[in-house]
Amino acid sequence: MPDLSELTEEAQSLARVPIFRRLEPHELERLAREVDQVNFKAGETIFNEHDRGDSLYVVETGSVRIWVFDEDVKEVTLAELKPGDFFGELAVLDRGERSSSATAIVDTHLHRLSSDDFQSFLMEHPDASIDVICEIAARMRQTNQLVSQRTARNINVEMEERATIGQRIADRVASFGGSWTFIIIYLSFLVGWMAFNTFVLVHYGHGEGGAQFDPYPYILLNLMLSMTAALQAPIIMMSQNRAAEKDRLAAEQDFKVNLKSELMLEELVRKQRARDVQMDQLNNALKVLQTSVQKDES
């Protein structure tokens, strides 16, 4: 580890940045002469999405929020950067527009390195280039995870994946208990039970009741019916609770879709009004031009 005590304050500050730690003291000093120092107040915008990317920034002190607008025209935070982190590298590397906006969360001090100086630095220091690539890959994974979490959900599929074994059984029981198949089978069982005790077993055995195991008024049958109703009621309520939760999630999803449609409609109306204003201005300009030409001809 080289001795950094004799370096300038700016060079020592750069040495604490992960992508610059492998540099020799003389390289840090040279880089320090190329880096500008900038300060931003809390809440101040460092750059906006679609701005031209002309510089890389490294956080010295403070904190920076990287964010974009989603389709609902709401701010989505992609990352919150702390001292030692860098940002703005994508637009610097491809010389395109900024893919996101950056705002200072608190009073922040940054190092700013121009696009040309940063690309020269990467070409001269392959090890630093690998560190930058690894950091970009980590941020892409984080962004992909965030996007996948915000994807529109299929409520039925999501509820099915989250269902426990007991909930699945409750749904099956409720579905079967509310079908004509269950009604026909149960009625057939009741009629068969009563007929078997009343007309068949009465002719077997000795005594007045014959061999009936549940004579009229069918106390055993009533007990079985009561137990069936007692067990079936809470199971059906469990299924109804899941159906209510599914309806709530579906209503929430519908609200988001309706809100998105409303915002998109408002944006279209705003653009149309702006076009109407431009057309009025153009028509007025044409009228003034026609009047001026007519005066010149006369």
Side-chain angles (χ1 to χ4, degrees):
M1 181 71 180
D3 184 14
L4 304 178
S5 59
E6 299 181 356
L7 296 178
T8 61
E9 182 178 354
E10 174 63 24
Q12 292 182 17
S13 176
L14 291 175
R16 292 191 290 269
V17 179
I19 61 175
F20 301 142
R21 285 177 180 171
R22 303 184 187 184
L23 299 183
E24 297 296 330
H26 68 279
E27 294 175 325
L28 289 171
E29 289 288 3
R30 188 182 68 177
L31 184 62
R33 292 191 293 268
E34 298 173 347
V35 170
D36 298 327
Q37 307 301 313
V38 291
N39 296 286
F40 293 90
K41 297 293 184 182
E44 189 174 355
T45 299
I46 301 171
F47 55 74
N48 291 307
E49 188 178 2
H50 304 306
D51 287 351
R52 187 174 66 89
D54 56 355
S55 301
L56 170 81
Y57 293 88
V58 180
V59 181
E60 168 66 16
T61 60
S63 181
V64 175
R65 182 170 71 99
I66 307 299
W67 58 276
V68 295
F69 282 116
D70 66 2
E71 293 183 354
D72 295 334
V73 199
K74 295 182 180 180
E75 294 182 4
V76 178
T77 299
L78 301 179
E80 291 187 1
L81 307 180
K82 58 185 183 300
D85 293 334
F86 60 89
F87 61 97
E89 71 283 352
L90 290 181
V92 171
L93 292 173
D94 64 7
R95 299 184 183 276
E97 296 179 344
R98 298 288 189 188
S99 59
S100 58
S101 301
T103 303
I105 300 176
V106 297
D107 292 350
T108 302
H109 179 74
L110 303 175
H111 304 292
R112 182 171 62 192
L113 186 63
S114 68
S115 176
D116 293 336
D117 292 336
F118 179 60
Q119 292 194 5
S120 299
F121 166 76
L122 293 180
M123 294 181 65
E124 295 174 2
H125 303 88
D127 291 342
S129 301
I130 295 176
D131 292 338
V132 172
I133 293 173
C134 292
E135 179 64 21
I136 294 175
R139 293 181 184 178
M140 289 182 65
R141 290 180 183 274
Q142 181 181 0
T143 303
N144 290 339
Q145 182 179 4
L146 178 64
V147 171
S148 65
Q149 291 175 348
R150 293 182 57 85
T151 303
R153 300 169 295 171
N154 186 323
I155 302 301
N156 294 321
V157 173
E158 182 174 344
M159 291 291 293
E160 187 67 23
E161 292 176 350
R162 290 166 47 187
T164 62
I165 296 177
Q167 291 173 334
R168 295 176 189 274
I169 294 175
D171 289 344
R172 296 289 179 87
V173 171
S175 177
F176 179 70
S179 65
W180 277 107
T181 302
F182 172 78
I183 294 174
I184 295 172
I185 292 175
Y186 211 65
L187 284 176
S188 301
F189 173 76
L190 295 178
V191 172
W193 179 287
M194 291 183 291
F196 192 67
N197 276 277
T198 303
F199 301 107
V200 177
L201 295 182
V202 73
H203 299 292
Y204 294 90
H206 302 281
E208 183 179 355
Q212 297 180 77
F213 60 86
D214 187 24
Y216 180 85
Y218 314 112
I219 296 176
L220 179 59
L221 178 61
N222 289 326
L223 177 61
M224 294 176 59
L225 293 177
S226 300
M227 292 179 60
T228 301
L231 292 174
Q232 193 176 28
I235 293 176
I236 293 176
M237 290 182 63
M238 290 172 55
S239 180
Q240 289 178 343
N241 290 336
R242 273 179 38 83
E245 182 181 1
K246 185 183 297 185
D247 292 340
R248 182 184 61 79
L249 292 176
E252 180 182 349
Q253 189 75 4
D254 290 341
F255 169 76
K256 291 181 179 180
V257 172
N258 293 336
L259 178 60
K260 182 184 298 184
S261 301
E262 182 179 351
L263 292 173
M264 292 176 63
L265 181 60
E266 289 179 356
E267 180 67 13
L268 291 174
V269 172
R270 186 189 63 79
K271 291 181 178 179
Q272 184 60 42
R273 289 175 179 172
R275 292 191 186 97
D276 292 341
V277 171
Q278 293 176 352
M279 291 297 297
D280 291 339
Q281 293 175 349
L282 181 60
N283 290 332
N284 293 333
L286 288 175
K287 290 179 180 178
V288 171
L289 181 61
Q290 290 176 353
T291 304
S292 177
V293 171
Q294 291 174 358
K295 288 182 179 180
D296 292 341
E297 291 178 351
S298 60

